[in-house]
Amino acid sequence: MIRLEGVTKRYPNGHQGLVNISMTVHRGEFVFLVGPSGAGKSTLIRLLYGEERPTSGEIVIDQFRLNGMTWRQLPRLRRQLGIVFQDGKLLPTRTVFQNVAFAMEVVGASRKDIHKRVPQVLELVGLARRRDHYPEELSGGEQQRLGIARALVNHPSYILADEPTGNLDPETAAGIMKLFQEINRRGATVVMATHAKDLVNQMQKRVVVIEHGSIVRDDAKGVYAYES
Amino acid sequence: MSLNSIGYLMKEAGRSLWRNSWMALASVSTVTIALFVLAVFVVVSVNVNHVTAMLESQVEIRVFIKPHVDRRRELALMQEAKTWPGIRKIQFFTKQQAAEALKQEFPDQHTLFQLIQKSNPLFDGYNVYARAPSDIRTIAGHFARQPIVHNVVYQGTVVKRLTRLATVLKWSGWVVEALLGVATLFIIINTIRLAVFARRREIQVMRLVGATNWFIRWPFILEGLTIGLMGAVAADAAVALGYHWVLRQAAVSLPFWPMAGFQVVLLHTTVFTVIGGLVMGALASVVALHRFLRV
């Protein structure tokens, strides 16, 4: 469970942060964060994976209390999270297989486990036949799938995605969204910041609307709507 | 840490060194120079200590008698001295004997011997052996007060001077070493920074998927340690070759000079350079990574 209570984030440079955000995401939920650019969606995602600390308020993810978390504890939280970015953050000098394997290597997985798990994940995201290609040889959609495969490979309980379909054409974006739906169906909780209006409306999932750093709507089967 | 991880860490450190091989080479060279200078100081100070120790173990005093003193008075003083406490043995020598001894010690100095043979400027005297080094000063004082004695030479003065020299050497060595060390540190720090920069994407991904900070650090620390160790090995090789050559030369041209043994010297320099290299390498990596890994 993810729980935020009165979370405020202020930046010294006056950049839009968050104001008194309270929300709860239960296990197995699929939550869209929508709102205008710069409303604070990305800030919220960054707070969830501990990249930034709230100015005030409390953030709890399962047994992890993020407020007092030291840099020693942070890796343990991150192993529960799969994080997907718009730009993928792929390693250009490594193949598809190596990119995914890398995420397992650096948390100390054995070679045997890596060779068993990576093909499974590549199969799931539909990149099994591209395993020896380099990221630059992939299409935008494939690159995004690779980023998702890497986020999934260590069996995280939560998937945090920041604009995962940001620079994809609508058809490809729909495919990616289906993939997230499949991941969610298999038990992972998904929190996604997005601008993909049509897709959000199709999915009939929980929608949290953020404007000027505050939650203005939170609908269980919501639609993408906000005043800009 | 599992075996998988250790394999991974070594591979990463090696890969990074290979990728930045020119910078790594520059770092290794500066480490080598710094450690070579350190090793030279070590070699010199081991030798100074060696000579000091040897002189201290020779409890010998040399007493020179004024010229034109009657042989009987010389021998009388020797008889008297035999009764003094602390004296183990006393040997009389004439200036002719002194000249002979000199000839044996420096067989190549022909002009000197011709000079000595014409008019011998040396003195008669005694070689006095003390029972213990602590007796030397008292015995020397006794002799110095005798009217027929010209002067007394004992190793005490030499030992004192050598000890002082050793101290000066040690301190100036440390100062030079500290300066070189700082310069070397900066170069290694830059090399590691370059490696960190080259791998910033990997580091970012590692942090996102929950690699521990130590796991991220280790390849760079290994890299620093490798640079330090390679520098140490190179410096030691240079010192070993150099000292071997010095020993051979010394055996020919300074045969009376007691040189410290090859193995003893190498043992000392190796300990200093390896520890120095590893400490510099590790310290540089930690400094280089410090800012990068703040979460």
Side-chain angles (χ1 to χ4, degrees), chain B residues 116-157:
Chain B
I116 289 174
Q117 259 147 21
K118 273 188 202 137
S119 89
N120 187 339
L122 301 174
F123 298 91
D124 294 346
Y126 320 113
N127 286 325
V128 182
Y129 300 91
R131 287 191 197 286
S134 50
D135 294 332
I136 293 178
R137 188 183 286 263
T138 331
I139 297 168
H142 260 87
F143 277 109
R145 281 193 292 278
Q146 301 301 317
I148 64 166
V149 168
H150 177 258
N151 69 335
V152 179
V153 175
Y154 62 100
Q155 312 292 17
T157 21

Side-chain angles (χ1 to χ4, degrees), chain A residues 49 51 71 74-75 78-79 83 85 89-92 94 102-103 105-111 150, chain B residues 2 4-5 8 11-12 15 199 201-202 204-215 217 294-295:
Chain A
Y49 65 84
E51 188 71 9
W71 55 267
L74 196 59
R78 296 245 170 110
R79 289 177 195 202
I83 308 164
F85 298 91
K89 300 207 188 301
L90 305 173
L91 306 175
R94 295 175 200 246
F102 182 74
E105 276 174 21
V106 300
V107 297
S110 73
R111 178 179 275 271
R150 189 181 61 201
Chain B
S2 71
N4 296 310
S5 304
Y8 163 83
K11 202 175 70 193
E12 284 306 310
R15 193 186 284 187
R199 301 194 59 225
R201 287 161 183 274
E202 275 98 335
Q204 195 179 24
V205 174
M206 283 195 255
R207 288 183 41 203
L208 287 176
V209 301
T212 60
N213 272 352
W214 273 110
F215 192 90
R217 276 193 197 115
R294 274 271 149 256
V295 177

Side-chain angles (χ1 to χ4, degrees), chain A residues 42 45-46 49 51 78 82-96 98-100 102-103 135-136 138 140 142-151 160-164 167, chain B residues 199-209:
Chain A
S42 293
I45 299 276
R46 278 205 298 277
Y49 65 84
E51 188 71 9
R78 296 245 170 110
I83 308 164
V84 181
F85 298 91
Q86 181 171 354
D87 67 356
K89 300 207 188 301
L90 305 173
L91 306 175
T93 58
R94 295 175 200 246
T95 64
V96 167
Q98 288 167 343
N99 261 281
V100 180
F102 182 74
E136 61 170 19
L138 304 178
E142 285 172 329
Q143 288 183 2
Q144 199 50 263
R145 284 169 188 275
L146 177 53
I148 294 167
R150 189 181 61 201
L160 306 178
D162 194 357
E163 303 282 1
N167 43 19
Chain B
R199 301 194 59 225
R200 64 195 181 286
R201 287 161 183 274
E202 275 98 335
I203 292 175
Q204 195 179 24
V205 174
M206 283 195 255
R207 288 183 41 203
L208 287 176
V209 301

Side-chain angles (χ1 to χ4, degrees), chain B residues 99-119:
Chain B
E100 271 315 304
L102 205 62
K103 205 185 268 184
Q104 272 167 20
E105 247 178 85
F106 301 96
D108 303 328
Q109 305 284 341
H110 301 294
T111 38
L112 180 69
F113 301 135
Q114 280 166 5
L115 219 68
I116 289 174
Q117 259 147 21
K118 273 188 202 137
S119 89

